[in-house]
Amino acid sequence: MRVEGGRRAARERLIANTRTTQAGIAIGSVGVGYLAVFGPETLESVRYAAPAGVVHEIGTSLASSVAGLVWTITVALCVVAALRFRRPWWPSPGRWPWSSARVPVETVLGGAGIVALAFFLEGVVTIPMFNRLGLLNWFETPEATATTDWLDAVSAGIGEEILVVAAPVTVLRFYRVSGRFAVPVLVAARMAYHLYYGHAGVWWLAPWALATAIVYWRWPDVRLLVALMVLDVVWNAQGVLFGDDLLTDLVLIGVGLALLAVAFAIDLRWYRNPTPPMTPTTSLRTVWLRAHGTSPGRPPRHCAATPSRPLTSGGERWPPGTDIRGRSPI
């Protein structure tokens, strides 16, 4: 009995340690990736945040734009690989930064339409309002060209949607974090490196930040992720594409309404399509408690009481560390 108890305790410790390492890999990969790309921008944005109503001049060049794009793509691929690649010595979540379950196409179209309308709302409401109130900082890049604008737009579209939305959503959903906590975290991560617009002026992008966070949190589909990237690139390259704010707004509202019209034509209740199921794993709180010797609803390991386990049809108890089907969660 003592030998069996020792083996059981050793197995439970191994599972707890593996899950702790897994949590460190998941959270660390997302955090390091975010800081590697947006950390310097956040520090620079804090320096430019005050005072309000100032036009900043920011230098740029073809070399810096190319280097920024290459760096962003490299970091994004590394984060995706860190979350997906799984070996005994690297117990990552083993997940792509999107759900393996596909949502209906009308839901993808509707979600993209909502984000397009959020961009339109910024162009016609929040930006003019904050600018008129004198709360909005702005910036100019006199050395920019059409090529650098495109490179910077593509870099922003890839980096922001993968490192700020998709990868964090994957980790937060993997550990069953509540959406009431996850959405504000995603919005804050989006706004942090945009603080050069001012402490108050940065809130002009709240509609876009909130829309992308809610839409992708609810439907983490790879097709929706690509749509978010395309919309982000179009918004950042609007000067090259359209050259006029009014034309940009017309295109955005046209695209948004068209996507929503198609979604409603396919299914009037497309927005009620269920969210892909969360990964059947434990919460971060459970990982923390088990790593420190206790589990929710169980006595400490030094306690003499033995926790009960569900019985199988034959009367045997499920082996420690397995689910109701007898499979290990690791």
Side-chain angles (χ1 to χ4, degrees):
M1 293 298 294
R2 290 184 178 179
V3 174
E4 180 67 23
R7 291 177 178 176
R8 179 179 301 177
R11 176 174 174 78
E12 290 183 354
R13 285 195 299 269
L14 176 61
I15 292 175
N17 292 336
T18 303
R19 284 176 171 168
T20 303
T21 304
Q22 185 181 70
I25 290 173
I27 298 173
S29 299
V30 173
V32 171
Y34 181 90
L35 292 176
V37 174
F38 300 105
E41 293 186 16
T42 302
L43 294 177
E44 194 75 4
S45 295
V46 172
R47 187 169 68 88
Y48 282 122
V54 177
V55 178
H56 299 290
E57 184 172 309
I58 300 177
T60 186
S61 64
L62 180 60
S64 63
S65 296
V66 172
L69 177 60
V70 172
W71 175 248
T72 300
I73 293 176
T74 302
V75 173
L77 291 176
C78 289
V79 171
V80 171
L83 294 177
R84 183 66 182 88
F85 183 76
R86 185 181 175 91
R87 289 293 184 274
W89 50 270
W90 185 262
S92 73
R95 297 290 184 272
W96 294 106
W98 50 78
S99 174
S100 58
R102 295 291 185 90
V103 299
V105 65
E106 62 269 21
T107 301
V108 175
L109 296 176
I114 291 175
V115 175
L117 292 182
F119 277 121
F120 169 76
L121 182 63
E122 291 178 346
V124 299
V125 178
T126 58
I127 291 178
M129 180 181 67
F130 279 93
N131 199 23
R132 182 172 299 179
L133 293 174
L135 301 175
L136 183 62
N137 292 347
W138 209 248
F139 65 94
E140 294 180 351
T141 52
E143 301 173 357
T145 63
T147 303
T148 59
D149 285 346
W150 271 113
L151 292 172
D152 293 341
V154 173
S155 177
I158 295 175
E160 292 188 31
E161 304 311 322
I162 292 180
L163 300 176
V164 184
V165 179
V169 164
T170 300
V171 173
L172 291 170
R173 284 174 58 86
F174 186 80
Y175 288 106
R176 296 180 176 271
V177 176
S178 170
R180 296 178 180 179
F181 174 80
V183 170
V185 169
L186 296 172
V187 172
R190 176 83 76 177
M191 289 186 169
Y193 53 90
H194 286 103
L195 280 174
Y196 52 78
Y197 289 112
H199 293 120
V202 70
W203 288 97
W204 72 262
L205 53 83
W208 168 50
L210 189 61
T212 53
I214 293 176
V215 165
Y216 199 77
W217 175 260
R218 181 164 174 76
W219 302 296
D221 191 288
V222 63
R223 296 166 297 173
L224 184 57
L225 177 61
V226 173
L228 297 182
M229 290 183 184
V230 172
L231 290 171
D232 196 344
V233 172
V234 170
W235 174 261
N236 285 289
Q238 58 180 286
V240 180
L241 281 173
F242 310 113
D244 183 75
D245 293 340
L246 177 60
L247 181 58
T248 302
D249 297 334
L250 292 176
V251 170
L252 288 172
I253 191 174
V255 170
L257 292 177
L259 292 174
L260 286 174
V262 175
F264 279 110
I266 298 175
D267 184 0
L268 288 176
R269 296 186 175 184
W270 62 266
Y271 52 88
R272 299 185 65 178
N273 286 327
T275 303
M278 289 188 177
T279 306
T281 185
T282 55
S283 65
L284 284 175
R285 176 176 175 271
T286 303
V287 172
W288 173 266
L289 290 176
R290 288 181 177 175
H292 289 76
T294 59
S295 296
R298 296 185 183 180
R301 289 203 178 104
H302 63 267
C303 182
T306 301
S308 61
R309 297 184 181 276
L311 296 177
T312 65
S313 57
E316 307 87 7
R317 298 188 183 275
W318 295 111
T322 59
D323 62 11
I324 198 170
R325 291 172 295 278
R327 298 182 304 186
S328 172
I330 298 299

